[in-house]
Amino acid sequence: MARLIRTEKEVEGRYEDVWLVVDEDALDQWPPGPQEIVGRPATRVTGPLRARGEARYTADLRLPGMLHTAVLRCPHAYARVRKIDFERALVAPGVRAAIGPGDAHVLTAEPGFQGEAVAAVAADTYAQARAALELVDVEWDVREPLIDPDEAVRRGQLVSEASRYERGDVDRALAEADVVVEAEYRTQTVLHNSFETHQSICEWRGNSLDIYISTQFIWGVRDEVASQLGLPPDKVRVVCEFMGGGFGSKNGADDHTFIAAELARRTQRPVRCALDRREENLATGNRNATIQRLTAGARSDGTLVALAGEYVNATGWSGWSAPTDGPMKVLYDCENVRTVLSPAKVNTPPMKAFRAPGFVEGTFGLECLLDELAARLEIDPLELRRRNYAQSTDDRPFSSKNLMECYERADPHWQRRDEVRARSEGPWKRGVGLASQVWYGGGGPPSYAWVRVGSDGRATVVTAMQDIGTGTATAMTQIAAEELGLPLDRVELVLGDSARGPYASVSAGSSTTPSMGPAVRSAAADAARQIVEIAAQRYDKEERILSLQGGKIVSADGGSWPIEEVVDLLEDAQILGKGARGPNPAGMQVLTFGVQVAEVAVDVETGEIRVERVTAIHDVGRVINPLGASSQVEGGIIQGIGHTLSEDRLLDPSSGAVLTPTLDAYKLPTIADVPEIVTELLDIPDEHLTNLGSKGLGEPPIVPTAAAIANAIRDATGADVRSLPITREEMLRALREAAERKQEKRGAAATV
Amino acid sequence: MVLELKVNGERYELDAPVGRTLAETLRDDLGLTGTKIACAEGHCGACTVLLGGVPVYSCITLLHTVGEREVTTIEGLRDHPLVDAFVKADALQCGFCTPGQIVAASALVEDNPHPSSEEIRHAMAGNLCRCGTYPKIEEAIATWQD
């Protein structure tokens, strides 16, 4: 039965209270541990299509009569279009239309960052569109850009109000603390670099708009476009069957979709607008740089008495303020916490969510600070974390938290450090570091699924979700197969089309599995119940003694019949089950936890750093597919290693020009940079969360990696690295600083 | 410019402008969209195909330089045991770089059926994967004959 409830919705740390209609079947969670299919390794259901090059991505679609687009993007960090003239462009070969500021809301005459869209040309071929772009005559007034985020904060130039948080009395606690450490940490701007660039094809059919798009949120694109263009939402159809990575950058419709829609309207042809790699690295978002000025106070026994942080997010020309202060608020049991978070508005490309936005950056600062504190207190860093274990924060209990168990399991890896350090030789110093992880990942309603069972005894899950490469399609198939008692190869999943399936959640905030999984299970249970009802009548048994197992209907009193025998009675009819995601547990924080232990080698003469081993232990509730889950963990850690050591979007500090838009300049990790990775997932269902007890896993593994590596470097060398990426320059700076500190200490001792 | 191209054992006659890349031709003229373009400037390896058995970046290979050499794309390698090995090892996530990875790996195992970890890392370092499937790629290549 449909119920109207008031519930909290969380996406990447932002909570809102919403009214919600839910239509949920109450199902008991499966017992902990592997079931027949759920909890056991499964290869990806879409693996063969993707590996054989048969998967059709948006990039591979070619519609009849389709035009191609080139977008004129501002070459300056801050400018005004004094004059724009399309006369020469419009008569160039193949050109069908051109649009500029005022023709679509995403085209501006007052660009505030390099790469902001100003105009666009549609032509028969992409080469023609690019060539015509050169013929658009633009006169720019180039303005003085503001690049420095601290200066923007001083001037009060923010994208939104600074957020302030305080519990307890930080100043008093710091005054009474036995030890106080202060440090400034910086993190860099990181680019998503999804391999399939942002792109859409738009086609008007009458007054309906079809959008083929590489997206993380089919339904979000539908609603955003409908709202912007004044269309009823059902007049907008959004399709994304396969997509080549998003990492947070593809949650919206973005400029390319609105450009394609407008050009398609004008030309009455399907129009494709696809960014190239350089545009991708200017105009599709980034993990914004941060500055973190942090303070921790503790008693000499290690009890944390105060944490304070002044955070600046270099948000860019627009965007939202990622919760860089989030870990400080929830990771430790500390009575006195104060944070100020200022989102600086600067003339750089706007941020977008990037795999645990805010928490990756904030965990680097906080977990490095904890190790600096541990060194001052001469307390083991793992022990310091155990002593300040949080049972709840802000009086909101956690729906489940097994971080202490993660610490227990980390202990043997942590104990390797004497042996690791002993392997130092010559200039190569070795060490071990760890960092804790906290992040969201509970998902939430609304999310819906349908399950169809045909007379051949095969089931199809239908839902208009997207699989962005995380393997959620496989997890959904496993869940449905488990509930229907069918082997995995008799269950299919149809996704990726808003016109052909019910509403599904965004694939962001580690939410697809915890949001969609319970809906799929609920739909499968609905279908299973109907099959049992029919079987009970066919075989004259009571429903309560029948169940579906291994492709059979099994009676508790002995008999069993192949499921086909029952569904075959349907002939061409089908069993239709429907399911919805229920609400999250009221008043609780649903969070994921974990710890990573990194082992590094540092050449103290050259500053070269090698990560040799990373152990990742995470608590994300029930694990649906251990194979896919291990891939998520590895992927997160490898991206984390890139963030820590090599990736950096560099700007010319005077002009604001982006210097690294290409993949030779912007250094992604390669296969040769990968350390040994050891993954352990606790696999303890969250008893308060849904009919599955599963949380999300997409983001947690990237959260602690940078801090664990930085702490290992500290362990190896005694140097406090505080700025990402830890280039050789930063490494050598930190080594010099450590040497000077040692010298001073010795000097001081000599004076005494 | 009219020219002949040998792809996956088939011969094609094409009329292509000078400056057209092999990747554009494969995808847009021949409909062989298994070859992906992710950077279009020879930095990432998603467009890897074999030219006379040697892996090349087709996005920076000009069509008119191909000549008589046989082009092999992922469509010509669909029955290669590496495809199953990649699926079995879960050596793909979003899958956009995967065809290029498999094409590059096919050249490696052709020359060296039992590559060491070091040899795999050396041979595959020109094929980037943003999802970070590298450990599983190494596993897939190490176990491709199992």
Side-chain angles (χ1 to χ4, degrees):
Chain A
M1 195 193 90
R3 285 187 299 139
L4 185 65
I5 59 160
R6 189 91 176 140
T7 185
E8 263 182 344
K9 197 175 165 184
E10 174 272 318
V11 177
E12 291 174 340
R14 288 169 289 169
Y15 284 95
E16 49 181 322
D17 244 0
V18 292
W19 282 107
L20 196 79
V21 177
V22 291
D23 188 5
E24 185 203 17
D25 286 311
L27 293 169
D28 290 336
Q29 286 183 9
W30 290 309
Q35 312 299 302
E36 289 291 317
I37 293 168
V38 163
R40 296 186 191 277
T43 59
R44 259 159 231 263
V45 292
T46 57
L49 286 178
R50 293 183 200 253
R52 290 160 56 92
E54 292 171 306
R56 204 178 294 138
Y57 296 80
T58 307
D60 302 326
L61 297 179
R62 300 287 182 271
L63 300 187
M66 185 177 84
L67 302 177
H68 299 261
T69 309
V71 180
L72 176 69
R73 297 185 179 277
C74 181
H76 309 290
Y78 195 24
R80 197 177 65 88
V81 177
R82 197 177 332 120
K83 210 180 124 206
I84 187 162
D85 187 344
F86 294 106
E87 201 177 325
R88 291 196 301 145
L90 281 169
V91 297
V95 171
R96 302 291 163 189
I99 53 176
D103 295 330
H105 79 285
V106 292
L107 301 177
T108 179
E110 304 213 343
F113 61 93
Q114 186 195 358
E116 189 159 19
V118 172
V121 175
D124 292 343
T125 70
Y126 181 59
Q128 288 170 334
R130 287 295 286 258
L133 214 55
E134 302 296 317
L135 302 174
V136 177
D137 294 304
V138 195
E139 289 175 23
W140 304 97
D141 283 333
V142 179
R143 300 171 169 185
E144 180 74 21
L146 175 58
I147 305 299
D148 178 2
D150 270 337
E151 178 59 24
V153 173
R154 270 194 293 277
R155 292 190 203 170
Q157 187 172 313
L158 306 175
V159 293
S160 58
E161 233 174 275
S163 63
R164 289 160 203 283
Y165 170 90
E166 180 151 18
R167 64 174 186 250
D169 185 340
V170 168
D171 292 329
R172 203 192 62 198
L174 283 175
E176 292 170 2
D178 295 326
V179 170
V180 173
V181 292
E182 288 179 288
E184 178 179 309
Y185 301 94
R186 287 175 182 254
T187 65
Q188 80 281 38
T189 304
V190 182
L191 301 172
H192 300 77
N193 268 306
S194 308
F195 264 31
E196 184 182 33
T197 58
H198 283 61
Q199 49 196 294
S200 301
I201 300 167
C202 287
E203 180 179 32
W204 289 90
R205 296 192 300 153
N207 58 0
S208 296
L209 177 62
D210 288 356
I211 302 172
Y212 302 84
I213 179 173
S214 183
T215 184
Q216 295 176 233
F217 194 15
I218 284 175
W219 293 85
V221 170
R222 168 185 177 265
D223 291 352
E224 184 185 342
V225 172
S227 155
Q228 183 63 41
L229 302 186
L231 296 168
D234 270 340
K235 292 287 183 190
V236 180
R237 175 184 171 210
V238 179
V239 180
C240 176
E241 196 185 355
F242 289 96
M243 65 90 81
F247 311 111
S249 70
K250 292 180 179 168
N251 294 339
D254 292 323
D255 59 20
H256 57 281
T257 303
F258 289 104
I259 288 168
E262 179 58 20
L263 287 167
R265 194 184 65 75
R266 291 184 180 218
T267 58
Q268 292 297 299
R269 302 263 291 267
V271 172
R272 165 190 174 77
C273 185
L275 275 64
D276 69 16
R277 178 59 46 192
R278 293 171 188 229
E279 292 176 278
E280 184 77 9
N281 279 342
L282 290 174
T284 65
N286 53 68
R287 184 190 295 288
N288 58 249
T290 70
I291 304 165
Q292 309 174 32
R293 298 177 173 103
L294 310 184
T295 308
R299 286 202 287 270
S300 52
D301 67 358
T303 308
L304 270 176
V305 294
L307 286 170
E310 286 179 32
Y311 296 88
V312 176
N313 283 342
T315 306
W317 191 237
S318 61
W320 52 279
S321 190
T324 313
D325 58 347
M328 184 174 274
K329 294 178 189 172
V330 296
L331 191 49
Y332 293 109
D333 183 29
C334 178
E335 277 178 29
N336 307 292
V337 178
R338 180 176 64 217
T339 68
V340 182
L341 173 60
S342 304
K345 179 171 179 170
V346 283
N347 293 105
T348 58
M351 63 73 73
K352 275 200 196 148
F354 190 157
R355 208 166 190 171
F359 275 57
V360 167
E361 302 85 321
T363 298
F364 171 68
L366 178 64
E367 286 295 83
C368 285
L369 184 73
L370 256 280
D371 267 38
E372 296 196 31
L373 178 65
R376 283 280 297 280
L377 291 165
E378 294 179 354
I379 293 178
D380 176 282
L382 179 56
E383 180 55 26
L384 182 64
R385 287 166 173 86
R386 283 189 177 121
R387 282 189 201 171
N388 293 285
Y389 194 79
Q391 299 293 347
S392 70
T393 48
D394 294 328
D395 297 325
R396 286 170 72 95
F398 304 118
S399 61
S400 73
K401 176 175 179 179
N402 300 293
L403 181 57
M404 196 59 94
E405 172 70 16
C406 295
Y407 289 150
E408 294 306 317
R409 295 217 202 169
D411 202 56
H413 303 281
W414 182 236
Q415 296 309 334
R416 286 162 54 94
R417 65 195 188 289
D418 289 336
E419 181 262 320
V420 170
R421 286 180 195 146
R423 281 193 283 110
S424 299
E425 52 178 355
W428 284 97
K429 307 295 177 200
R430 288 186 160 77
V432 179
L434 64 81
S436 311
Q437 169 259 317
V438 63
W439 173 246
Y440 304 95
S447 290
Y448 303 92
W450 301 329
V451 167
R452 192 170 75 199
V453 184
S455 55
D456 57 355
R458 296 180 61 85
T460 305
V461 181
V462 182
T463 180
M465 63 176 243
Q466 54 286 313
D467 182 344
I468 64 171
T470 51
T472 45
T474 310
M476 295 309 117
T477 310
Q478 288 179 273
I479 290 165
E482 183 73 42
E483 188 65 30
L484 288 163
L486 286 174
L488 201 53
D489 61 8
R490 279 167 63 177
V491 181
E492 315 261 342
L493 178 77
V494 174
L495 49 63
D497 188 339
S498 69
R500 294 182 183 166
Y503 179 94
S505 77
V506 61
S507 291
S510 299
S511 68
T512 317
T513 294
S515 296
M516 297 306 304
V520 168
R521 185 176 172 215
S522 164
D526 187 19
R529 188 164 43 240
Q530 295 175 51
I531 295 169
V532 164
E533 280 168 11
I534 297 167
Q537 295 167 65
R538 171 69 181 76
Y539 304 116
D540 200 17
K541 300 277 181 194
E542 279 184 78
E543 282 170 28
R544 60 174 183 83
I545 63 165
L546 298 180
S547 61
L548 303 183
Q549 291 167 35
K552 289 188 166 64
I553 292 148
V554 178
S555 174
D557 68 3
S560 84
W561 308 270
I563 193 171
E564 297 93 304
E565 201 175 297
V566 172
V567 289
D568 188 52
L569 300 169
L570 296 165
E571 296 191 359
D572 289 338
Q574 295 173 326
I575 302 270
L576 297 174
K578 66 185 178 77
R581 165 64 150 84
N584 280 350
M588 289 181 158
Q589 300 191 77
V590 184
L591 299 173
T592 55
F593 298 93
V595 59
Q596 288 181 7
V597 184
E599 301 179 8
V600 302
V602 182
D603 182 335
V604 294
E605 288 173 359
T606 65
E608 184 181 348
I609 299 161
R610 288 189 201 148
V611 181
E612 299 190 324
R613 188 172 191 262
V614 177
T615 302
I617 301 161
H618 293 273
D619 167 30
V620 295
R622 180 192 300 281
V623 176
I624 308 293
N625 180 4
L627 178 62
S630 69
S631 295
Q632 280 296 296
V633 173
E634 289 159 7
I637 289 169
I638 290 165
Q639 274 187 355
I641 289 170
H643 288 26
T644 310
L645 298 180
S646 65
E647 295 182 37
D648 197 357
R649 192 222 44 201
L650 295 170
L651 289 179
D652 177 310
S654 59
S655 69
V658 174
L659 303 173
T660 53
T662 55
L663 288 177
D664 57 340
Y666 186 87
K667 288 176 277 183
L668 299 179
T670 75
I671 194 169
D673 298 312
V674 175
E676 179 189 359
I677 296 175
V678 180
T679 300
E680 285 184 39
L681 297 172
L682 260 48
D683 196 11
I684 302 170
D686 179 336
E687 62 171 344
H688 297 290
L689 186 67
T690 75
N691 57 31
L692 287 180
S694 289
K695 299 174 186 174
L697 178 60
E699 289 156 309
I702 197 176
V703 171
T705 308
I709 292 170
N711 287 339
I713 291 170
R714 185 174 288 108
D715 185 54
T717 65
D720 291 321
V721 283
R722 292 184 178 142
S723 184
L724 297 182
I726 308 166
T727 56
R728 293 187 186 207
E729 191 184 9
E730 164 66 6
M731 189 63 243
L732 293 173
R733 182 207 61 75
L735 284 164
R736 273 195 306 273
E737 188 193 74
E740 282 162 17
R741 207 165 49 215
K742 221 170 177 182
Q743 198 90 43
E744 268 169 36
K745 242 187 207 168
R746 236 183 262 137
T751 322
V752 170
Chain B
M1 187 172 124
V2 178
L3 47 80
E4 240 187 30
L5 194 65
K6 281 191 287 186
V7 184
N8 301 332
E10 302 274 336
R11 282 185 168 277
Y12 298 90
E13 195 167 291
L14 294 161
D15 187 1
V18 173
R20 192 154 179 83
T21 66
L22 177 58
E24 289 170 318
T25 295
L26 292 170
R27 289 176 52 79
D28 291 331
D29 301 335
L30 306 185
L32 297 172
T33 55
T35 300
K36 304 301 180 198
I37 298 176
C39 75
E41 47 194 341
H43 295 150
C44 78
C47 66
T48 304
V49 302
L50 302 181
L51 211 51
V54 179
V56 298
Y57 292 163
S58 64
C59 75
I60 51 166
T61 301
L62 293 174
L63 184 62
H64 76 266
T65 66
V66 172
E68 276 299 298
R69 288 175 291 176
E70 168 88 20
V71 180
T72 307
T73 70
I74 187 66
E75 286 86 354
L77 293 168
R78 281 182 177 161
D79 296 328
H80 197 289
L82 273 167
V83 170
D84 281 345
F86 266 63
V87 173
K88 213 169 118 194
D90 206 37
L92 68 159
Q93 290 185 32
C94 85
F96 207 75
C97 73
T98 310
Q101 303 276 3
I102 291 176
V103 172
S106 75
L108 168 64
V109 300
E110 178 72 27
D111 288 348
N112 178 3
H114 303 287
S116 67
S117 167
E118 204 54 38
E119 288 165 337
I120 294 170
R121 285 162 172 248
H122 181 75
M124 299 301 292
N127 287 75
L128 300 178
C129 168
R130 187 45 156 166
C131 300
T133 58
Y134 298 130
K136 301 277 166 71
I137 288 176
E138 190 178 323
E139 185 187 328
I141 298 172
T143 60
W144 74 284
Q145 283 177 314
D146 296 355

